[in-house]
Amino acid sequence: MPRYKKGGFRRRFKRPAKGTRHYGSQSCKLAAANPSMAVDTTEGSQRQEEACENHNGYFLGFNTNSWSQPIRVLSLFDGISSGLLALDSLGIKVSEYFSAEIDKDAISIQRKRFYGRITEIGDVEACTELVLDQIAPIHLLIGGSPCNQLSRVNPKRKLFAPGSSGRLFFTYVKILNYLKKKAIENNHNFFYLYENTSNLDRSTLLTMTKAFNAEPQVVDALSFVPMRRKMLFWHNLGKSNVDLASMEIPPLEDFLDPGRIATVNMVCTITTNNASQKKKDKCPVVNFDGEECTLNVNELERIFHLGEGFTDNGNLSISRRRKLIGKSWVVPVIACLLNPLLKVLQV
Protein backbone atom coordinates (compact mmCIF):
# COMPACT_ATOMS: atom_id res chain seq x y z
CA MET A 1 0.00 0.00 0.00
CA PRO A 2 1.61 3.30 -1.01
CA ARG A 3 1.96 6.24 1.30
CA TYR A 4 -0.17 9.28 0.65
CA LYS A 5 0.65 12.88 1.26
CA LYS A 6 -0.39 14.56 4.48
CA GLY A 7 -3.98 15.74 4.49
CA GLY A 8 -5.06 13.22 1.88
CA PHE A 9 -6.59 9.78 1.80
CA ARG A 10 -4.63 8.30 4.71
CA ARG A 11 -5.61 11.12 7.05
CA ARG A 12 -9.34 10.49 6.61
CA PHE A 13 -9.18 6.72 6.84
CA LYS A 14 -6.37 6.18 9.29
CA ARG A 15 -5.92 3.18 11.56
CA PRO A 16 -7.60 3.68 14.96
CA ALA A 17 -5.79 4.01 18.23
CA LYS A 18 -5.05 0.85 20.18
CA GLY A 19 -8.14 -0.47 21.95
CA THR A 20 -10.65 0.66 19.33
CA ARG A 21 -12.39 -1.40 16.69
CA HIS A 22 -13.23 0.84 13.77
CA TYR A 23 -11.79 3.64 11.71
CA GLY A 24 -12.54 7.28 12.53
CA SER A 25 -12.80 9.53 15.56
CA GLN A 26 -16.10 8.01 16.70
CA SER A 27 -14.85 4.43 16.82
CA CYS A 28 -16.25 2.24 19.56
CA LYS A 29 -14.29 0.45 22.25
CA LEU A 30 -13.56 -3.24 22.14
CA ALA A 31 -15.99 -5.64 23.76
CA ALA A 32 -13.45 -6.19 26.52
CA ALA A 33 -13.85 -2.57 27.55
CA ASN A 34 -17.61 -2.56 27.02
CA PRO A 35 -19.41 -5.79 28.06
CA SER A 36 -22.60 -4.69 26.28
CA MET A 37 -20.74 -5.06 22.99
CA ALA A 38 -19.74 -8.68 23.68
CA VAL A 39 -20.42 -11.10 20.84
CA ASP A 40 -20.96 -14.82 20.49
CA THR A 41 -17.86 -16.97 20.77
CA THR A 42 -18.90 -19.29 17.95
CA GLU A 43 -16.50 -19.92 15.12
CA GLY A 44 -18.58 -17.87 12.66
CA SER A 45 -18.71 -14.88 15.00
CA GLN A 46 -14.96 -15.06 15.53
CA ARG A 47 -14.39 -15.04 11.77
CA GLN A 48 -16.54 -11.93 11.43
CA GLU A 49 -14.77 -10.16 14.28
CA GLU A 50 -11.45 -10.86 12.55
CA ALA A 51 -12.86 -9.54 9.28
CA CYS A 52 -14.05 -6.32 10.95
CA GLU A 53 -10.63 -5.88 12.56
CA ASN A 54 -8.32 -6.90 9.74
CA HIS A 55 -10.14 -6.17 6.48
CA ASN A 56 -7.82 -4.16 4.26
CA GLY A 57 -10.47 -1.72 3.02
CA TYR A 58 -11.10 1.82 4.27
CA PHE A 59 -14.00 2.52 6.60
CA LEU A 60 -15.89 5.64 7.57
CA GLY A 61 -15.91 6.43 11.28
CA PHE A 62 -19.58 5.82 12.01
CA ASN A 63 -20.61 5.49 15.65
CA THR A 64 -21.43 1.83 16.36
CA ASN A 65 -22.05 2.00 20.12
CA SER A 66 -25.79 1.28 19.75
CA TRP A 67 -25.37 -2.03 17.92
CA SER A 68 -25.30 -5.44 19.61
CA GLN A 69 -27.62 -7.89 17.84
CA PRO A 70 -26.64 -10.10 14.86
CA ILE A 71 -28.82 -10.10 11.74
CA ARG A 72 -29.58 -12.44 8.85
CA VAL A 73 -29.01 -10.93 5.41
CA LEU A 74 -30.08 -11.96 1.92
CA SER A 75 -28.16 -10.30 -0.91
CA LEU A 76 -29.55 -10.66 -4.43
CA PHE A 77 -27.25 -10.10 -7.43
CA ASP A 78 -24.53 -10.12 -4.79
CA GLY A 79 -21.45 -9.74 -7.01
CA ILE A 80 -18.29 -9.64 -4.90
CA SER A 81 -20.28 -9.06 -1.68
CA SER A 82 -19.50 -5.36 -1.26
CA GLY A 83 -22.70 -5.18 0.79
CA LEU A 84 -21.06 -7.41 3.40
CA LEU A 85 -18.03 -5.10 3.39
CA ALA A 86 -20.36 -2.18 4.18
CA LEU A 87 -21.96 -4.07 7.07
CA ASP A 88 -18.52 -4.98 8.41
CA SER A 89 -17.41 -1.36 8.17
CA LEU A 90 -20.31 -0.36 10.43
CA GLY A 91 -19.54 -3.11 12.93
CA ILE A 92 -22.93 -4.72 12.35
CA LYS A 93 -22.79 -8.40 13.26
CA VAL A 94 -24.13 -10.78 10.64
CA SER A 95 -25.10 -14.25 11.81
CA GLU A 96 -26.00 -15.47 8.29
CA TYR A 97 -25.25 -13.91 4.90
CA PHE A 98 -27.01 -15.57 1.97
CA SER A 99 -25.67 -14.72 -1.47
CA ALA A 100 -27.60 -15.13 -4.73
CA GLU A 101 -25.01 -14.88 -7.51
CA ILE A 102 -24.17 -16.86 -10.67
CA ASP A 103 -21.06 -15.07 -11.98
CA LYS A 104 -18.20 -17.54 -11.48
CA ASP A 105 -15.55 -14.82 -11.16
CA ALA A 106 -17.55 -13.01 -8.48
CA ILE A 107 -18.17 -16.24 -6.59
CA SER A 108 -14.44 -17.02 -6.62
CA ILE A 109 -13.75 -13.68 -4.92
CA GLN A 110 -16.50 -14.31 -2.35
CA ARG A 111 -14.95 -17.66 -1.45
CA LYS A 112 -11.47 -16.19 -1.14
CA ARG A 113 -12.35 -13.07 0.86
CA PHE A 114 -15.25 -14.37 2.97
CA TYR A 115 -14.45 -18.04 3.39
CA GLY A 116 -16.94 -19.67 5.74
CA ARG A 117 -19.06 -16.54 6.14
CA ILE A 118 -21.26 -16.70 3.02
CA THR A 119 -23.96 -19.23 2.17
CA GLU A 120 -24.38 -19.49 -1.60
CA ILE A 121 -27.93 -20.03 -2.85
CA GLY A 122 -27.27 -19.75 -6.59
CA ASP A 123 -29.52 -18.11 -9.16
CA VAL A 124 -31.86 -15.34 -8.02
CA GLU A 125 -34.65 -16.84 -10.10
CA ALA A 126 -34.29 -20.07 -8.12
CA CYS A 127 -35.18 -18.25 -4.88
CA THR A 128 -38.64 -19.75 -4.57
CA GLU A 129 -40.89 -19.39 -1.56
CA LEU A 130 -39.69 -22.81 -0.42
CA VAL A 131 -36.06 -21.64 -0.47
CA LEU A 132 -36.97 -18.41 1.32
CA ASP A 133 -38.79 -20.38 4.01
CA GLN A 134 -35.71 -22.54 4.51
CA ILE A 135 -33.39 -19.57 5.08
CA ALA A 136 -35.86 -17.51 7.12
CA PRO A 137 -35.91 -15.29 9.04
CA ILE A 138 -34.33 -12.56 6.91
CA HIS A 139 -33.90 -9.17 8.55
CA LEU A 140 -32.23 -7.31 5.68
CA LEU A 141 -32.66 -7.72 1.91
CA ILE A 142 -30.15 -5.92 -0.32
CA GLY A 143 -29.31 -5.93 -4.01
CA GLY A 144 -29.46 -4.21 -7.36
CA SER A 145 -30.66 -5.96 -10.51
CA PRO A 146 -28.80 -5.48 -13.84
CA CYS A 147 -29.30 -2.02 -15.32
CA ASN A 148 -27.97 -2.57 -18.85
CA GLN A 149 -31.42 -3.13 -20.39
CA LEU A 150 -32.97 -0.30 -18.35
CA SER A 151 -30.46 2.51 -18.78
CA ARG A 152 -31.01 5.29 -21.30
CA VAL A 153 -27.32 4.97 -22.15
CA ASN A 154 -28.21 1.78 -24.03
CA PRO A 155 -30.00 2.78 -27.27
CA LYS A 156 -31.06 -0.85 -27.82
CA ARG A 157 -32.44 -1.38 -24.32
CA LYS A 158 -35.31 -3.85 -24.03
CA LEU A 159 -36.55 -2.57 -20.66
CA PHE A 160 -38.93 -5.14 -19.12
CA ALA A 161 -39.56 -7.13 -22.31
CA PRO A 162 -39.62 -10.96 -22.07
CA GLY A 163 -36.08 -12.33 -22.11
CA SER A 164 -34.58 -9.01 -21.01
CA SER A 165 -32.40 -8.85 -17.89
CA GLY A 166 -34.50 -5.83 -16.93
CA ARG A 167 -37.25 -8.22 -15.83
CA LEU A 168 -35.04 -9.36 -12.96
CA PHE A 169 -36.23 -6.21 -11.22
CA PHE A 170 -39.59 -7.90 -10.71
CA THR A 171 -37.82 -10.94 -9.25
CA TYR A 172 -36.37 -8.68 -6.55
CA VAL A 173 -39.80 -7.15 -5.90
CA LYS A 174 -41.44 -10.57 -5.69
CA ILE A 175 -38.89 -11.76 -3.11
CA LEU A 176 -39.21 -8.46 -1.23
CA ASN A 177 -42.99 -8.74 -0.95
CA TYR A 178 -42.80 -12.34 0.27
CA LEU A 179 -40.20 -11.51 2.92
CA LYS A 180 -42.31 -8.55 4.05
CA LYS A 181 -45.27 -10.87 4.52
CA LYS A 182 -43.16 -13.39 6.46
CA ALA A 183 -41.80 -10.64 8.70
CA ILE A 184 -45.33 -9.52 9.58
CA GLU A 185 -46.43 -13.10 10.27
CA ASN A 186 -43.43 -13.74 12.53
CA ASN A 187 -43.42 -10.29 14.12
CA HIS A 188 -39.84 -9.24 13.39
CA ASN A 189 -38.31 -6.16 11.80
CA PHE A 190 -37.45 -6.26 8.12
CA PHE A 191 -35.47 -3.81 6.02
CA TYR A 192 -34.55 -3.64 2.36
CA LEU A 193 -32.22 -1.70 0.07
CA TYR A 194 -32.47 -1.75 -3.72
CA GLU A 195 -30.15 0.09 -6.13
CA ASN A 196 -30.27 0.91 -9.82
CA THR A 197 -28.97 3.50 -12.25
CA SER A 198 -30.24 7.08 -12.29
CA ASN A 199 -30.28 6.98 -16.11
CA LEU A 200 -33.86 5.75 -16.34
CA ASP A 201 -36.57 7.10 -18.60
CA ARG A 202 -39.67 8.49 -16.92
CA SER A 203 -41.86 5.46 -17.63
CA THR A 204 -39.32 2.99 -16.20
CA LEU A 205 -38.78 5.14 -13.12
CA LEU A 206 -42.52 5.34 -12.47
CA THR A 207 -42.88 1.57 -12.85
CA MET A 208 -40.13 0.90 -10.32
CA THR A 209 -41.33 3.55 -7.88
CA LYS A 210 -44.87 2.17 -8.03
CA ALA A 211 -43.58 -1.35 -7.33
CA PHE A 212 -41.87 -0.15 -4.13
CA ASN A 213 -44.60 2.34 -3.25
CA ALA A 214 -41.79 4.71 -2.31
CA GLU A 215 -39.72 7.43 -3.93
CA PRO A 216 -36.03 6.66 -4.56
CA GLN A 217 -33.18 8.44 -2.83
CA VAL A 218 -30.50 9.83 -5.12
CA VAL A 219 -26.94 9.37 -3.85
CA ASP A 220 -23.82 10.37 -5.74
CA ALA A 221 -20.58 8.56 -4.92
CA LEU A 222 -18.89 11.94 -5.36
CA SER A 223 -19.92 12.68 -1.78
CA PHE A 224 -17.39 10.04 -0.69
CA VAL A 225 -14.83 9.46 -3.43
CA PRO A 226 -13.48 11.37 -6.46
CA MET A 227 -15.89 9.65 -8.85
CA ARG A 228 -19.18 10.85 -10.26
CA ARG A 229 -21.62 7.94 -9.86
CA LYS A 230 -25.21 8.97 -9.25
CA MET A 231 -27.49 6.06 -8.36
CA LEU A 232 -31.07 5.57 -7.19
CA PHE A 233 -31.83 3.73 -3.96
CA TRP A 234 -35.21 2.52 -2.77
CA HIS A 235 -35.25 1.50 0.88
CA ASN A 236 -37.06 1.65 4.21
CA LEU A 237 -33.97 2.32 6.32
CA GLY A 238 -34.78 5.87 7.33
CA LYS A 239 -32.56 8.93 7.18
CA SER A 240 -28.83 8.53 7.68
CA ASN A 241 -27.16 10.70 10.32
CA VAL A 242 -24.06 11.12 8.15
CA ASP A 243 -23.61 14.76 7.14
CA LEU A 244 -22.63 14.55 3.47
CA ALA A 245 -22.18 18.31 3.23
CA SER A 246 -19.31 18.17 5.72
CA MET A 247 -17.47 15.38 3.90
CA GLU A 248 -14.02 16.39 2.67
CA ILE A 249 -13.33 14.38 -0.47
CA PRO A 250 -9.66 13.82 -1.31
CA PRO A 251 -8.56 14.43 -4.90
CA LEU A 252 -8.05 11.57 -7.31
CA GLU A 253 -4.27 11.82 -6.99
CA ASP A 254 -4.46 10.61 -3.38
CA PHE A 255 -5.71 7.23 -4.65
CA LEU A 256 -2.92 6.70 -7.19
CA ASP A 257 0.26 4.66 -6.97
CA PRO A 258 3.50 6.61 -6.32
CA GLY A 259 4.84 8.46 -9.35
CA ARG A 260 1.47 8.60 -11.10
CA ILE A 261 -0.14 12.02 -11.56
CA ALA A 262 -3.86 12.66 -11.95
CA THR A 263 -4.81 15.00 -14.79
CA VAL A 264 -8.26 15.57 -13.22
CA ASN A 265 -9.62 15.80 -9.67
CA MET A 266 -12.36 13.24 -10.26
CA VAL A 267 -13.49 10.67 -12.81
CA CYS A 268 -16.85 9.95 -14.36
CA THR A 269 -18.85 6.84 -13.53
CA ILE A 270 -16.59 3.80 -13.66
CA THR A 271 -18.33 0.88 -15.34
CA THR A 272 -17.25 -2.46 -16.78
CA ASN A 273 -16.07 -0.56 -19.88
CA ASN A 274 -12.48 0.68 -19.58
CA ALA A 275 -13.38 3.72 -21.73
CA SER A 276 -15.51 5.02 -18.85
CA GLN A 277 -12.28 6.05 -17.08
CA LYS A 278 -11.48 8.67 -19.70
CA LYS A 279 -12.38 12.34 -19.70
CA LYS A 280 -15.05 13.73 -22.00
CA ASP A 281 -12.41 14.58 -24.59
CA LYS A 282 -11.35 10.89 -24.49
CA CYS A 283 -8.01 11.68 -22.85
CA PRO A 284 -6.83 9.28 -20.09
CA VAL A 285 -7.02 10.60 -16.53
CA VAL A 286 -3.52 9.59 -15.35
CA ASN A 287 -0.03 10.60 -16.44
CA PHE A 288 2.89 8.28 -15.68
CA ASP A 289 6.43 9.03 -16.86
CA GLY A 290 5.05 11.35 -19.51
CA GLU A 291 2.63 8.77 -20.87
CA GLU A 292 -1.13 9.02 -20.50
CA CYS A 293 -3.00 6.01 -19.15
CA THR A 294 -6.10 4.93 -17.27
CA LEU A 295 -6.48 3.90 -13.64
CA ASN A 296 -4.94 0.56 -12.80
CA VAL A 297 -6.89 -2.13 -10.98
CA ASN A 298 -5.36 -1.38 -7.55
CA GLU A 299 -6.38 2.27 -7.87
CA LEU A 300 -9.90 1.25 -8.82
CA GLU A 301 -10.12 -0.95 -5.73
CA ARG A 302 -9.07 1.97 -3.54
CA ILE A 303 -11.70 4.26 -5.06
CA PHE A 304 -14.44 1.68 -4.42
CA HIS A 305 -13.01 1.10 -0.90
CA LEU A 306 -12.62 -2.61 -1.51
CA GLY A 307 -9.05 -2.80 -0.31
CA GLU A 308 -6.00 -3.19 -2.50
CA GLY A 309 -5.83 -6.63 -4.10
CA PHE A 310 -9.39 -7.51 -3.10
CA THR A 311 -10.32 -8.88 -6.55
CA ASP A 312 -7.05 -10.77 -6.97
CA ASN A 313 -7.65 -14.48 -6.49
CA GLY A 314 -4.49 -15.44 -8.37
CA ASN A 315 -6.41 -16.61 -11.41
CA LEU A 316 -8.24 -13.59 -12.85
CA SER A 317 -6.95 -11.36 -15.64
CA ILE A 318 -6.82 -7.60 -15.16
CA SER A 319 -9.77 -7.11 -17.53
CA ARG A 320 -11.94 -9.56 -15.59
CA ARG A 321 -11.03 -7.87 -12.32
CA ARG A 322 -11.96 -4.48 -13.81
CA LYS A 323 -15.39 -5.83 -14.76
CA LEU A 324 -16.01 -7.11 -11.23
CA ILE A 325 -15.10 -3.73 -9.77
CA GLY A 326 -17.27 -1.87 -12.29
CA LYS A 327 -20.30 -3.92 -11.20
CA SER A 328 -19.56 -3.44 -7.51
CA TRP A 329 -21.06 -1.01 -5.04
CA VAL A 330 -18.99 1.86 -3.63
CA VAL A 331 -18.66 0.62 -0.06
CA PRO A 332 -18.99 3.94 1.87
CA VAL A 333 -22.15 4.82 -0.09
CA ILE A 334 -23.84 1.61 1.06
CA ALA A 335 -22.48 2.04 4.59
CA CYS A 336 -24.01 5.52 4.71
CA LEU A 337 -27.42 4.19 3.66
CA LEU A 338 -27.25 1.28 6.12
CA ASN A 339 -26.12 3.52 8.97
CA PRO A 340 -29.67 3.99 10.41
CA LEU A 341 -29.68 0.27 11.27
CA LEU A 342 -27.37 1.09 14.15
CA LYS A 343 -30.24 2.87 15.90
CA VAL A 344 -33.46 1.27 14.77
CA LEU A 345 -32.87 -2.44 14.14
CA GLN A 346 -33.67 -4.78 17.01
CA VAL A 347 -33.51 -8.47 16.11
Side-chain angles (χ1 to χ4, degrees):
M1 184 75 180
R3 295 181 179 179
Y4 298 95
K5 60 185 180 182
K6 184 177 180 181
F9 191 64
R10 281 288 194 190
R11 179 176 62 81
R12 292 185 63 246
F13 298 96
K14 61 184 180 180
R15 184 172 295 280
K18 185 176 181 180
T20 58
R21 286 185 58 196
H22 304 289
Y23 289 78
S25 59
Q26 294 182 316
S27 54
C28 65
K29 299 297 181 181
L30 286 170
N34 185 356
S36 66
M37 292 293 294
V39 298
D40 296 336
T41 57
T42 62
E43 182 180 356
S45 296
Q46 289 174 345
R47 280 197 297 266
Q48 180 171 357
E49 286 300 304
E50 292 172 359
C52 290
E53 293 283 348
N54 302 324
H55 174 64
N56 60 346
Y58 316 104
F59 303 141
L60 294 176
F62 297 132
N63 190 331
T64 62
N65 288 325
S66 61
W67 189 257
S68 62
Q69 300 290 338
I71 62 173
R72 296 168 65 88
V73 181
L74 171 58
S75 178
L76 306 180
F77 319 100
D78 190 38
I80 55 177
S81 300
S82 48
L84 183 52
L85 289 182
L87 289 165
D88 282 348
S89 75
L90 292 170
I92 294 177
K93 304 178 190 67
V94 178
S95 60
E96 293 286 348
Y97 187 92
F98 300 97
S99 169
E101 180 56 61
I102 59 174
D103 185 288
K104 293 182 179 179
D105 288 346
I107 293 172
S108 71
I109 300 302
Q110 292 179 7
R111 292 173 178 174
K112 181 176 178 63
R113 298 302 173 190
F114 301 105
Y115 178 77
R117 296 187 61 201
I118 292 178
T119 301
E120 300 171 16
I121 59 176
D123 194 340
V124 170
E125 295 184 285
C127 290
T128 62
E129 293 183 358
L130 177 61
V131 172
L132 295 175
D133 287 340
Q134 291 173 343
I135 66 175
I138 295 297
H139 306 112
L140 174 64
L141 174 69
I142 60 176
S145 58
C147 65
N148 181 55
Q149 295 298 331
L150 301 177
S151 175
R152 290 180 299 178
V153 176
N154 181 6
K156 298 181 180 180
R157 60 187 180 278
K158 298 180 181 179
L159 300 177
F160 302 119
S164 167
S165 62
R167 291 192 63 82
L168 289 172
F169 163 74
F170 296 109
T171 302
Y172 181 99
V173 173
K174 181 180 178 180
I175 293 173
L176 168 65
N177 290 335
Y178 184 75
L179 292 178
K180 277 184 179 179
K181 183 181 74 172
K182 295 294 291 185
I184 294 173
E185 291 175 355
N186 294 288
N187 193 30
H188 68 76
N189 282 323
F190 172 74
F191 298 90
Y192 74 91
L193 173 66
Y194 175 83
E195 171 262 359
N196 214 299
T197 178
S198 61
N199 288 316
L200 301 174
D201 59 45
R202 180 174 176 79
S203 175
T204 303
L205 178 59
L206 288 176
T207 297
M208 299 173 79
T209 298
K210 183 178 180 180
F212 287 115
N213 193 28
E215 293 292 329
Q217 179 180 352
V218 182
V219 181
D220 195 337
L222 190 59
S223 298
F224 302 88
V225 296
M227 174 180 64
R228 175 76 67 183
R229 200 188 208 202
K230 189 178 294 185
M231 306 298 286
L232 300 180
F233 295 90
W234 287 264
H235 62 84
N236 65 340
L237 295 163
K239 184 178 180 180
S240 174
N241 60 9
V242 179
D243 184 7
L244 299 182
S246 65
M247 299 289 288
E248 180 185 349
I249 309 305
L252 178 62
E253 191 161 328
D254 287 347
F255 292 79
L256 305 183
D257 287 340
R260 291 164 63 84
I261 301 173
T263 60
V264 294
N265 285 328
M266 68 173 187
V267 293
C268 296
T269 302
I270 293 174
T271 67
T272 57
N273 188 344
N274 195 39
S276 66
Q277 300 177 36
K278 299 181 180 180
K279 297 183 293 185
K280 291 183 178 180
D281 57 4
K282 304 302 179 182
C283 295
V285 298
V286 177
N287 186 294
F288 181 59
D289 285 344
E291 295 184 5
E292 293 184 327
C293 53
T294 56
L295 298 168
N296 64 41
V297 69
N298 290 331
E299 293 163 345
L300 291 176
E301 288 171 333
R302 293 183 201 128
I303 290 175
F304 279 74
H305 288 212
L306 298 172
E308 186 173 328
F310 184 84
T311 58
D312 183 10
N313 68 354
N315 195 39
L316 292 180
S317 65
I318 295 298
S319 62
R320 288 160 71 183
R321 290 175 63 187
R322 286 181 186 273
K323 288 183 178 180
L324 289 178
I325 297 170
K327 294 177 182 178
S328 176
W329 278 340
V330 179
V331 174
V333 172
I334 305 305
C336 176
L337 291 165
L338 294 175
N339 180 256
L341 289 178
L342 298 175
K343 285 187 175 181
V344 303
L345 186 58
Q346 296 293 326
V347 180

